[in-house]
Amino acid sequence: MLRVISMTMLCVLTAACSGGGGAQQTVMGYADTPVATQGLPAESGSTGYSSSSKNTKLAARSDAAPEGSWKRAPAGALADRNYSETTLDTRTALKLINGYRREKGLKPLKLHPKLIRAAKAHSTDLAKWDRISHYGSDGANPWDRVKRAGYQARLAAENVGTGQASFKEVLGGWKESEGHNKNLLLPDAEHMGIALVRRPKTEFKTFWTLVLGSQI
């Protein structure tokens, strides 16, 4: 059985998204993730995906992302944040996520190079267009990207974050978001890939993508 998990974008573009307000509000994003089953009805509250054409290319000249499927940051919203030390250590990220899963009695994940490739492709595309979305500029969804990377998935899920200055910050946001947290704690997940792309000249500055999956 192939499953695609519900999307989770963690959105800090409004007080409602961030859970904050006033001077405390930070403009960052977290996107809802999909877990769906290919050829089967999607789970309640989740979104199903079908594969795109194999000939489509990432970051195509024409923007094919579905209308209303992405958000941008207001101009200058994160200009006062310091990203000079923002880095991603994939081993540390794996350790922190597995520590969290262990607290909940779940099995640890392993890093998978193909899921890292899928995550990096999406973060790169989001940075190119300076937005947060689970759709790529060529219309690709998380399931498409996992397949393109050569990962034969029976389950795939994606968390996205933008504007966070550290992995601990983005992970904390994912834990506090019901949909993102559900993905972090998927009992059937076996592998993960994670990526960070920094673009100082964009409004969002940082683009994080976490992909979880298990193989057929």
Side-chain angles (χ1 to χ4, degrees):
M1 178 184 291
L2 302 175
R3 287 202 302 151
V4 182
I5 287 172
S6 77
M7 275 191 197
T8 307
M9 261 179 359
L10 191 51
C11 185
V12 188
L13 294 171
T14 66
C17 288
S18 66
Q24 298 298 318
Q25 183 178 349
T26 307
V27 180
M28 293 178 288
Y30 296 88
D32 266 3
T33 318
V35 177
T37 27
Q38 191 173 16
L40 297 173
E43 293 180 345
S44 175
S46 67
T47 308
Y49 295 94
S50 60
S51 294
S52 298
S53 167
K54 293 181 179 179
N55 296 322
T56 53
K57 294 183 178 180
L58 187 66
R61 288 186 179 181
S62 58
D63 186 0
E67 193 165 342
S69 69
W70 47 269
K71 293 185 178 181
R72 297 190 190 279
L78 296 173
D80 60 345
R81 299 202 83 201
N82 182 3
Y83 295 93
S84 62
E85 297 184 5
T86 302
T87 59
L88 172 64
D89 183 312
T90 55
R91 295 291 174 182
T92 298
L94 177 69
K95 182 178 179 180
L96 290 173
I97 290 174
N98 279 341
Y100 182 50
R101 288 174 63 86
R102 186 167 55 249
E103 291 173 7
K104 306 299 181 180
L106 298 173
K107 63 185 179 184
L109 304 173
K110 296 179 181 179
L111 286 171
H112 198 290
K114 291 180 179 178
L115 294 186
I116 292 175
R117 188 184 311 159
K120 184 63 176 289
H122 192 46
S123 286
T124 300
D125 192 47
L126 292 179
K128 175 182 173 66
W129 295 84
D130 195 9
R131 64 189 181 197
I132 183 166
S133 178
H134 281 291
Y135 285 92
S137 60
D138 60 356
N141 58 56
W143 191 256
D144 295 328
R145 289 188 289 276
V146 166
K147 288 186 67 177
R148 286 177 184 175
Y151 187 86
Q152 298 300 309
R154 63 180 175 86
L155 176 149
E158 179 183 87
N159 283 359
V160 175
T162 52
Q164 296 80 15
S166 69
F167 177 71
K168 286 187 176 180
E169 183 178 17
V170 73
L171 179 60
W174 286 337
K175 288 180 179 179
E176 292 173 4
S177 165
E178 183 178 356
H180 293 82
N181 191 57
K182 182 178 179 181
N183 287 341
L184 291 172
L185 300 178
L186 283 171
D188 296 335
E190 299 174 348
H191 303 122
M192 64 167 268
I194 189 162
L196 162 67
V197 171
R198 289 178 53 196
R199 290 289 186 275
K201 293 184 179 180
T202 63
E203 296 297 343
F204 269 131
K205 313 299 184 186
T206 61
F207 303 83
W208 306 80
T209 302
L210 171 67
V211 182
L212 302 98
S214 57
Q215 291 180 310
I216 295 172

